[in-house]
Amino acid sequence: MKIEPRTLKGFRDFLPKDARKRNYVIETLRRVFESYGFEPLETPALEYEDILLGKYGEEGDKLMYRFEDNGGRRVALRYDQTVPLARFVAQYQNDLPLPFKRYQISNVWRADNTQKGRFREFLQCDIDTVGTLSIQSDAEIIQVVIKSLEKLGFGQFKILVNDRSLFEDVSRETITIIDKLKKIGEEGVFSELREKGLDGNILANVRSSKPTEKINQVLTILSDDRVVFEPTLARGLDYYTGLIVEVEIDGYSAGSVGGGGRYDNLIGMFAGRQIPAVGFAFGFDRLIEAMDELNLFPTELDGKTKVLVAIPSKELEKIAVETANKLRNSGINTETWLDESKMEKQFKYAEKKEIPYVVVPIDDKTVELRTKSQTGEIVKKIIELNSLPDAIK
Amino acid sequence: MKIEPRTLKGFRDFLPKDARKRNYVIETLRRVFESYGFEPLETPALEYEDILLGKYGEEGDKLMYRFEDNGGRRVALRYDQTVPLARFVAQYQNDLPLPFKRYQISNVWRADNTQKGRFREFLQCDIDTVGTLSIQSDAEIIQVVIKSLEKLGFGQFKILVNDRSLFEDVSRETITIIDKLKKIGEEGVFSELREKGLDGNILANVRSSKPTEKINQVLTILSDDRVVFEPTLARGLDYYTGLIVEVEIDGYSAGSVGGGGRYDNLIGMFAGRQIPAVGFAFGFDRLIEAMDELNLFPTELDGKTKVLVAIPSKELEKIAVETANKLRNSGINTETWLDESKMEKQFKYAEKKEIPYVVVPIDDKTVELRTKSQTGEIVKKIIELNSLPDAIK
């Protein structure tokens, strides 16, 4: 009986071309994070349900993947990387040198509405500094975000900042509606507030707010005119207490590519004492989409196969394998053909896989090197095996 | 109310030191895989339950994490990476250039007995070649395994090979028992076979088997005396059809660090036609454990923070941040202290985090560079800011 091969709604396979783009972004971010002293951390995909429940607001609880495991425990799949970090810090608080600066890059799962183009499994890239209230740590998070965007190749962008304390007297319900400003516009916010019997004028009040002393200090430390005070910035999540941040890319209108802020009380829920923290999460899918739209990926991504060594006959098989090893030893990613097949089939395979060079062994000293010219014709050269690596590099 | 911070049995947090080791192994394997033309693939953590059920034998079905999602679908967490690959190949068979060579490095979940030291979430690193029956592809998989072990620094190891077809007339139950030979010894196998009313002499018969023609060809292609025919090698999983492989590391007795083989019928369960395949999976935790025991990790792992720039006074804060940026621009991972604190606290932090250099700014042109001598004393030098990156590199 044949089983129908299919994936769940909102879950994706990443084919090599996309997987390579993802690896490129991950490696770029990782290098920036590490250059500022952030260290890698991994936490489990599954946590006890009570660790995650009630931390993200009502919607979070609804969208969380929760179930009973074989041992009768109530468990939940990671919903973000901040709550597991809080749990982790509380658990290891006596051994952890503070401030603790960590990054985590892993998948999270949310049973969100796929009709809105949302995914149910997606990658997050987080940096967080735990254990200090210093304004320097707020500024450093933003600095790392700026450096990350620059290294990924983004030219023009804005870092919007605000202070959650400006919303101290505003109800959670109202914040959730103001948070939709970008999506539904000013009139949308106004009418939704009125519909729910809330003060429709709040947006005007919010808009006229002045930056807090802390925000001013952050702006001064950074002295970067891409960092802008935006009083209507609200951020949906419950746990923020101070600075909040969002990133907008010029020329990419689908939304913020990441956000974060200060959350000084979350870890305390697990630790039994206040341990302040500030952090930022890149929305990985949006980053990739923005980079695609703005053409920021290098034409040849790291790790791509550069050469196919063809096998013209059984007799030349051994020479082909040795030629491939020679190229690999020179740091060139090389595939050998694995079957006996017509040359045409081998050339077609290389073309379909976008492998730029095909090497056809002639004897134990010479090969034919085939590649495409810029106008798309096949260019062939007979060269000595010894000079092959240099001819390709 | 305080929530007790804790992790589920069999699930682990990886602190920076361990996470860095893991990244090192992943990057090393990835480079080897890519040098042979294997390409990255990612599949979802969750699949429809019927995709995974019944592919791993009875025990697999029992240990699988399965549940009903919010939409009432029966779903299961990834149990290995081979069955999702089979599903993937069947789904994309019309667009995929064959042979398809992919690697996948991701977590799998099994609700296994934690008392035996097994984990419930663990990483697998797989390579597979899909779409060819060629002996060359069998040999290449083994070649990549050998190259991977060498690049990780293993000096002495054995690749045990066998052919599943030698067990053609042996019952599944018997294979499962023979597979335990390493763990329970010859007498254990004998008595367990007898207990279950099976032929106790089978082991002697198996032991006297001769390699098949295909195995002989693989051995000839590889001509490597670390690759050894082992007629008692059985492999637990149901889906193998030809070559089977396991790796043993000299000086590491806890067990095989990886295994694999040919499975020519698995993909057909999804594709409706036979698509042959051969592959190998590294057991990541065992690799790391073996490398730890044999001291194979470099003393300084990539990405580690090399310098802490201390902040001796508020006035020198700006210079400290600029100094740190200068070092980062020279490719040196550098942390700045984020608070105003006593110098003693800052030095202690560097020591606890094993950061080898501390830079104390003196004025806008000079700094004090502190490091430990080999005998453990603090060595201090006053040097010019301009020559700082060279002094550290």
Side-chain angles (χ1 to χ4, degrees), chain B residues 130-145:
Chain B
V130 172
T132 171
L133 287 159
S134 91
I135 290 287
Q136 287 292 346
S137 66
D138 290 22
E140 188 182 66
I141 291 285
I142 296 175
Q143 246 158 12
V144 178
V145 171

mmCIF file with all atom_site columns, all heavy atoms in Angstrom, chain B residues 130-145:
data_model
loop_
_atom_site.group_PDB
_atom_site.id
_atom_site.type_symbol
_atom_site.label_atom_id
_atom_site.label_alt_id
_atom_site.label_comp_id
_atom_site.label_asym_id
_atom_site.label_entity_id
_atom_site.label_seq_id
_atom_site.pdbx_PDB_ins_code
_atom_site.Cartn_x
_atom_site.Cartn_y
_atom_site.Cartn_z
_atom_site.occupancy
_atom_site.B_iso_or_equiv
_atom_site.pdbx_formal_charge
_atom_site.auth_seq_id
_atom_site.auth_comp_id
_atom_site.auth_asym_id
_atom_site.auth_atom_id
_atom_site.pdbx_PDB_model_num
ATOM 1   N N   . VAL B 1 130 ? 20.641 8.962  -3.114 1.00 0.00 ? 130 VAL B N   1
ATOM 2   C CA  . VAL B 1 130 ? 19.362 8.398  -3.523 1.00 0.00 ? 130 VAL B CA  1
ATOM 3   C C   . VAL B 1 130 ? 19.298 8.277  -5.040 1.00 0.00 ? 130 VAL B C   1
ATOM 4   O O   . VAL B 1 130 ? 19.693 9.196  -5.754 1.00 0.00 ? 130 VAL B O   1
ATOM 5   C CB  . VAL B 1 130 ? 18.214 9.321  -3.036 1.00 0.00 ? 130 VAL B CB  1
ATOM 6   C CG1 . VAL B 1 130 ? 16.877 8.855  -3.610 1.00 0.00 ? 130 VAL B CG1 1
ATOM 7   C CG2 . VAL B 1 130 ? 18.159 9.366  -1.521 1.00 0.00 ? 130 VAL B CG2 1
ATOM 8   N N   . GLY B 1 131 ? 18.819 7.134  -5.519 1.00 0.00 ? 131 GLY B N   1
ATOM 9   C CA  . GLY B 1 131 ? 18.526 7.023  -6.948 1.00 0.00 ? 131 GLY B CA  1
ATOM 10  C C   . GLY B 1 131 ? 19.549 6.247  -7.755 1.00 0.00 ? 131 GLY B C   1
ATOM 11  O O   . GLY B 1 131 ? 19.522 6.293  -8.977 1.00 0.00 ? 131 GLY B O   1
ATOM 12  N N   . THR B 1 132 ? 20.449 5.530  -7.090 1.00 0.00 ? 132 THR B N   1
ATOM 13  C CA  . THR B 1 132 ? 21.385 4.693  -7.837 1.00 0.00 ? 132 THR B CA  1
ATOM 14  C C   . THR B 1 132 ? 21.687 3.407  -7.081 1.00 0.00 ? 132 THR B C   1
ATOM 15  O O   . THR B 1 132 ? 21.757 3.412  -5.846 1.00 0.00 ? 132 THR B O   1
ATOM 16  C CB  . THR B 1 132 ? 22.701 5.431  -8.167 1.00 0.00 ? 132 THR B CB  1
ATOM 17  O OG1 . THR B 1 132 ? 23.631 4.477  -8.711 1.00 0.00 ? 132 THR B OG1 1
ATOM 18  C CG2 . THR B 1 132 ? 23.316 6.066  -6.937 1.00 0.00 ? 132 THR B CG2 1
ATOM 19  N N   . LEU B 1 133 ? 21.838 2.331  -7.837 1.00 0.00 ? 133 LEU B N   1
ATOM 20  C CA  . LEU B 1 133 ? 22.201 1.041  -7.253 1.00 0.00 ? 133 LEU B CA  1
ATOM 21  C C   . LEU B 1 133 ? 23.708 0.823  -7.306 1.00 0.00 ? 133 LEU B C   1
ATOM 22  O O   . LEU B 1 133 ? 24.205 -0.219 -6.881 1.00 0.00 ? 133 LEU B O   1
ATOM 23  C CB  . LEU B 1 133 ? 21.504 -0.084 -8.032 1.00 0.00 ? 133 LEU B CB  1
ATOM 24  C CG  . LEU B 1 133 ? 19.995 -0.236 -7.812 1.00 0.00 ? 133 LEU B CG  1
ATOM 25  C CD1 . LEU B 1 133 ? 19.355 -0.997 -8.962 1.00 0.00 ? 133 LEU B CD1 1
ATOM 26  C CD2 . LEU B 1 133 ? 19.724 -0.945 -6.487 1.00 0.00 ? 133 LEU B CD2 1
ATOM 27  N N   . SER B 1 134 ? 24.461 1.822  -7.804 1.00 0.00 ? 134 SER B N   1
ATOM 28  C CA  . SER B 1 134 ? 25.875 1.573  -8.088 1.00 0.00 ? 134 SER B CA  1
ATOM 29  C C   . SER B 1 134 ? 26.685 1.275  -6.829 1.00 0.00 ? 134 SER B C   1
ATOM 30  O O   . SER B 1 134 ? 26.472 1.856  -5.767 1.00 0.00 ? 134 SER B O   1
ATOM 31  C CB  . SER B 1 134 ? 26.485 2.757  -8.830 1.00 0.00 ? 134 SER B CB  1
ATOM 32  O OG  . SER B 1 134 ? 27.040 3.679  -7.933 1.00 0.00 ? 134 SER B OG  1
ATOM 33  N N   . ILE B 1 135 ? 27.600 0.353  -6.991 1.00 0.00 ? 135 ILE B N   1
ATOM 34  C CA  . ILE B 1 135 ? 28.520 -0.004 -5.913 1.00 0.00 ? 135 ILE B CA  1
ATOM 35  C C   . ILE B 1 135 ? 29.386 1.207  -5.540 1.00 0.00 ? 135 ILE B C   1
ATOM 36  O O   . ILE B 1 135 ? 29.768 1.387  -4.389 1.00 0.00 ? 135 ILE B O   1
ATOM 37  C CB  . ILE B 1 135 ? 29.429 -1.159 -6.400 1.00 0.00 ? 135 ILE B CB  1
ATOM 38  C CG1 . ILE B 1 135 ? 28.614 -2.447 -6.523 1.00 0.00 ? 135 ILE B CG1 1
ATOM 39  C CG2 . ILE B 1 135 ? 30.598 -1.376 -5.472 1.00 0.00 ? 135 ILE B CG2 1
ATOM 40  C CD1 . ILE B 1 135 ? 28.240 -3.061 -5.210 1.00 0.00 ? 135 ILE B CD1 1
ATOM 41  N N   . GLN B 1 136 ? 29.684 2.032  -6.547 1.00 0.00 ? 136 GLN B N   1
ATOM 42  C CA  . GLN B 1 136 ? 30.434 3.257  -6.294 1.00 0.00 ? 136 GLN B CA  1
ATOM 43  C C   . GLN B 1 136 ? 29.762 4.114  -5.218 1.00 0.00 ? 136 GLN B C   1
ATOM 44  O O   . GLN B 1 136 ? 30.432 4.732  -4.406 1.00 0.00 ? 136 GLN B O   1
ATOM 45  C CB  . GLN B 1 136 ? 30.542 4.097  -7.587 1.00 0.00 ? 136 GLN B CB  1
ATOM 46  C CG  . GLN B 1 136 ? 31.482 3.560  -8.630 1.00 0.00 ? 136 GLN B CG  1
ATOM 47  C CD  . GLN B 1 136 ? 32.942 3.628  -8.207 1.00 0.00 ? 136 GLN B CD  1
ATOM 48  O OE1 . GLN B 1 136 ? 33.284 4.322  -7.236 1.00 0.00 ? 136 GLN B OE1 1
ATOM 49  N NE2 . GLN B 1 136 ? 33.799 2.894  -8.885 1.00 0.00 ? 136 GLN B NE2 1
ATOM 50  N N   . SER B 1 137 ? 28.447 4.169  -5.233 1.00 0.00 ? 137 SER B N   1
ATOM 51  C CA  . SER B 1 137 ? 27.760 5.009  -4.245 1.00 0.00 ? 137 SER B CA  1
ATOM 52  C C   . SER B 1 137 ? 27.872 4.400  -2.852 1.00 0.00 ? 137 SER B C   1
ATOM 53  O O   . SER B 1 137 ? 27.995 5.119  -1.860 1.00 0.00 ? 137 SER B O   1
ATOM 54  C CB  . SER B 1 137 ? 26.309 5.272  -4.645 1.00 0.00 ? 137 SER B CB  1
ATOM 55  O OG  . SER B 1 137 ? 25.556 4.075  -4.626 1.00 0.00 ? 137 SER B OG  1
ATOM 56  N N   . ASP B 1 138 ? 27.851 3.058  -2.758 1.00 0.00 ? 138 ASP B N   1
ATOM 57  C CA  . ASP B 1 138 ? 28.096 2.399  -1.466 1.00 0.00 ? 138 ASP B CA  1
ATOM 58  C C   . ASP B 1 138 ? 29.497 2.758  -0.968 1.00 0.00 ? 138 ASP B C   1
ATOM 59  O O   . ASP B 1 138 ? 29.691 3.138  0.194  1.00 0.00 ? 138 ASP B O   1
ATOM 60  C CB  . ASP B 1 138 ? 28.007 0.867  -1.596 1.00 0.00 ? 138 ASP B CB  1
ATOM 61  C CG  . ASP B 1 138 ? 26.581 0.380  -1.834 1.00 0.00 ? 138 ASP B CG  1
ATOM 62  O OD1 . ASP B 1 138 ? 25.750 1.188  -2.304 1.00 0.00 ? 138 ASP B OD1 1
ATOM 63  O OD2 . ASP B 1 138 ? 26.307 -0.795 -1.560 1.00 0.00 ? 138 ASP B OD2 1
ATOM 64  N N   . ALA B 1 139 ? 30.469 2.630  -1.871 1.00 0.00 ? 139 ALA B N   1
ATOM 65  C CA  . ALA B 1 139 ? 31.860 2.891  -1.479 1.00 0.00 ? 139 ALA B CA  1
ATOM 66  C C   . ALA B 1 139 ? 32.044 4.362  -1.092 1.00 0.00 ? 139 ALA B C   1
ATOM 67  O O   . ALA B 1 139 ? 32.752 4.677  -0.132 1.00 0.00 ? 139 ALA B O   1
ATOM 68  C CB  . ALA B 1 139 ? 32.805 2.508  -2.618 1.00 0.00 ? 139 ALA B CB  1
ATOM 69  N N   . GLU B 1 140 ? 31.395 5.256  -1.833 1.00 0.00 ? 140 GLU B N   1
ATOM 70  C CA  . GLU B 1 140 ? 31.573 6.681  -1.553 1.00 0.00 ? 140 GLU B CA  1
ATOM 71  C C   . GLU B 1 140 ? 31.077 7.050  -0.154 1.00 0.00 ? 140 GLU B C   1
ATOM 72  O O   . GLU B 1 140 ? 31.717 7.825  0.565  1.00 0.00 ? 140 GLU B O   1
ATOM 73  C CB  . GLU B 1 140 ? 30.858 7.546  -2.592 1.00 0.00 ? 140 GLU B CB  1
ATOM 74  C CG  . GLU B 1 140 ? 31.209 9.021  -2.430 1.00 0.00 ? 140 GLU B CG  1
ATOM 75  C CD  . GLU B 1 140 ? 30.470 9.913  -3.406 1.00 0.00 ? 140 GLU B CD  1
ATOM 76  O OE1 . GLU B 1 140 ? 29.232 10.038 -3.325 1.00 0.00 ? 140 GLU B OE1 1
ATOM 77  O OE2 . GLU B 1 140 ? 31.132 10.510 -4.266 1.00 0.00 ? 140 GLU B OE2 1
ATOM 78  N N   . ILE B 1 141 ? 29.912 6.475  0.231  1.00 0.00 ? 141 ILE B N   1
ATOM 79  C CA  . ILE B 1 141 ? 29.399 6.753  1.581  1.00 0.00 ? 141 ILE B CA  1
ATOM 80  C C   . ILE B 1 141 ? 30.467 6.383  2.622  1.00 0.00 ? 141 ILE B C   1
ATOM 81  O O   . ILE B 1 141 ? 30.747 7.153  3.554  1.00 0.00 ? 141 ILE B O   1
ATOM 82  C CB  . ILE B 1 141 ? 28.087 5.952  1.838  1.00 0.00 ? 141 ILE B CB  1
ATOM 83  C CG1 . ILE B 1 141 ? 26.939 6.496  0.986  1.00 0.00 ? 141 ILE B CG1 1
ATOM 84  C CG2 . ILE B 1 141 ? 27.735 5.942  3.323  1.00 0.00 ? 141 ILE B CG2 1
ATOM 85  C CD1 . ILE B 1 141 ? 26.341 7.801  1.453  1.00 0.00 ? 141 ILE B CD1 1
ATOM 86  N N   . ILE B 1 142 ? 31.080 5.234  2.447  1.00 0.00 ? 142 ILE B N   1
ATOM 87  C CA  . ILE B 1 142 ? 32.106 4.802  3.413  1.00 0.00 ? 142 ILE B CA  1
ATOM 88  C C   . ILE B 1 142 ? 33.326 5.715  3.358  1.00 0.00 ? 142 ILE B C   1
ATOM 89  O O   . ILE B 1 142 ? 33.918 6.058  4.385  1.00 0.00 ? 142 ILE B O   1
ATOM 90  C CB  . ILE B 1 142 ? 32.493 3.322  3.155  1.00 0.00 ? 142 ILE B CB  1
ATOM 91  C CG1 . ILE B 1 142 ? 31.265 2.440  3.417  1.00 0.00 ? 142 ILE B CG1 1
ATOM 92  C CG2 . ILE B 1 142 ? 33.661 2.891  4.043  1.00 0.00 ? 142 ILE B CG2 1
ATOM 93  C CD1 . ILE B 1 142 ? 31.469 0.975  3.088  1.00 0.00 ? 142 ILE B CD1 1
ATOM 94  N N   . GLN B 1 143 ? 33.675 6.137  2.140  1.00 0.00 ? 143 GLN B N   1
ATOM 95  C CA  . GLN B 1 143 ? 34.794 7.078  1.999  1.00 0.00 ? 143 GLN B CA  1
ATOM 96  C C   . GLN B 1 143 ? 34.539 8.377  2.768  1.00 0.00 ? 143 GLN B C   1
ATOM 97  O O   . GLN B 1 143 ? 35.425 8.915  3.429  1.00 0.00 ? 143 GLN B O   1
ATOM 98  C CB  . GLN B 1 143 ? 34.977 7.442  0.523  1.00 0.00 ? 143 GLN B CB  1
ATOM 99  C CG  . GLN B 1 143 ? 36.272 6.952  -0.073 1.00 0.00 ? 143 GLN B CG  1
ATOM 100 C CD  . GLN B 1 143 ? 36.187 6.843  -1.584 1.00 0.00 ? 143 GLN B CD  1
ATOM 101 O OE1 . GLN B 1 143 ? 35.251 7.341  -2.214 1.00 0.00 ? 143 GLN B OE1 1
ATOM 102 N NE2 . GLN B 1 143 ? 37.170 6.190  -2.177 1.00 0.00 ? 143 GLN B NE2 1
ATOM 103 N N   . VAL B 1 144 ? 33.327 8.875  2.676  1.00 0.00 ? 144 VAL B N   1
ATOM 104 C CA  . VAL B 1 144 ? 32.980 10.125 3.371  1.00 0.00 ? 144 VAL B CA  1
ATOM 105 C C   . VAL B 1 144 ? 33.046 9.916  4.885  1.00 0.00 ? 144 VAL B C   1
ATOM 106 O O   . VAL B 1 144 ? 33.515 10.784 5.623  1.00 0.00 ? 144 VAL B O   1
ATOM 107 C CB  . VAL B 1 144 ? 31.584 10.626 2.946  1.00 0.00 ? 144 VAL B CB  1
ATOM 108 C CG1 . VAL B 1 144 ? 31.212 11.887 3.715  1.00 0.00 ? 144 VAL B CG1 1
ATOM 109 C CG2 . VAL B 1 144 ? 31.543 10.897 1.445  1.00 0.00 ? 144 VAL B CG2 1
ATOM 110 N N   . VAL B 1 145 ? 32.609 8.737  5.342  1.00 0.00 ? 145 VAL B N   1
ATOM 111 C CA  . VAL B 1 145 ? 32.684 8.440  6.772  1.00 0.00 ? 145 VAL B CA  1
ATOM 112 C C   . VAL B 1 145 ? 34.147 8.422  7.233  1.00 0.00 ? 145 VAL B C   1
ATOM 113 O O   . VAL B 1 145 ? 34.502 9.022  8.258  1.00 0.00 ? 145 VAL B O   1
ATOM 114 C CB  . VAL B 1 145 ? 32.002 7.083  7.087  1.00 0.00 ? 145 VAL B CB  1
ATOM 115 C CG1 . VAL B 1 145 ? 32.259 6.665  8.529  1.00 0.00 ? 145 VAL B CG1 1
ATOM 116 C CG2 . VAL B 1 145 ? 30.504 7.184  6.817  1.00 0.00 ? 145 VAL B CG2 1
#
